Amino acid sequence: MNHAKISRFFHALLAVGLIGGSLAAQAQAVDVAAAEALLLSNKCAKCHSVDKKKDGPAYKVTASKYKGKADAEAKLFTHLTTAPTIEIDGVKEEHQKIKAKDDAAVKNLVNYILSR
Ligand code: HEC
């Protein structure tokens, strides 16, 4: 390879690296272990599972309900942090408010649910 070719070769490599890097940064990286630990410590499994209906909807059902919706993360964040009124067997009650160390931990759980 002459100098010009070598230089083009390295520019191509660099471009691939940059594009690959920005795609990786865009995809929501979910910390699955942290999300599952948060579900456990909040006892969400009393009413939810990933794929079976309990008193609350399966996370898979919620994920498909919000699929492609731009406000999905915001909606679920609000759902988990503001104790909206829900109905179980005809009885109204407040949805459990999540206890988490910070907003980032709640958002990670929301993205875990949305990616089921
Ligand atoms: C006492 C039962 C109960 C507990 C405990 C509970 N949920 Fe729920 N949850 C429900 C019910 C019932 C609904 C359905 C509300 C509706 O559709 O009106 C629901 C809805 C949801 C939804 C869907 C909201 C939407 O906009 O579609 C998510 C996500 C969710 N819960 C997550 C959680 C998480 C995470 C926890 C633990 C912090 C939790 N829930 C604890 C009963 C419960």
Side-chain angles (χ1 to χ4, degrees):
M1 267 198 264
N2 64 29
H3 178 79
K5 271 192 183 151
I6 289 171
S7 149
R8 253 182 274 133
F9 175 71
F10 279 108
H11 274 109
L13 266 189
L14 186 64
V16 168
L18 288 175
I19 292 166
S22 66
L23 284 180
Q26 258 174 29
Q28 286 286 359
V30 174
D31 184 339
V32 171
E36 287 175 348
L38 195 54
L39 290 174
L40 203 64
S41 65
N42 278 271
K43 303 192 170 67
C44 309
K46 191 178 153 231
C47 299
H48 295 280
S49 88
V50 170
D51 49 16
K52 287 187 192 63
K53 185 179 165 30
K54 293 187 170 181
D55 280 338
Y59 297 135
K60 278 193 173 164
V61 170
T62 300
S64 55
K65 169 179 158 190
Y66 285 104
K67 201 176 174 84
K69 301 216 167 92
D71 61 350
E73 189 188 280
K75 281 256 172 71
L76 289 190
F77 185 85
T78 303
H79 177 83
L80 292 178
T81 54
T82 61
T85 303
I86 55 164
E87 221 176 280
I88 298 176
D89 299 330
V91 180
K92 287 199 164 49
E93 61 176 80
E94 284 189 351
H95 191 268
Q96 184 182 334
K97 211 179 199 171
I98 195 161
K99 287 189 192 71
K101 70 175 187 326
D102 54 22
D103 287 0
V106 179
K107 285 187 183 150
N108 180 61
L109 175 58
V110 165
N111 284 307
Y112 165 90
I113 292 170
L114 290 173
S115 59
R116 291 311 89 187

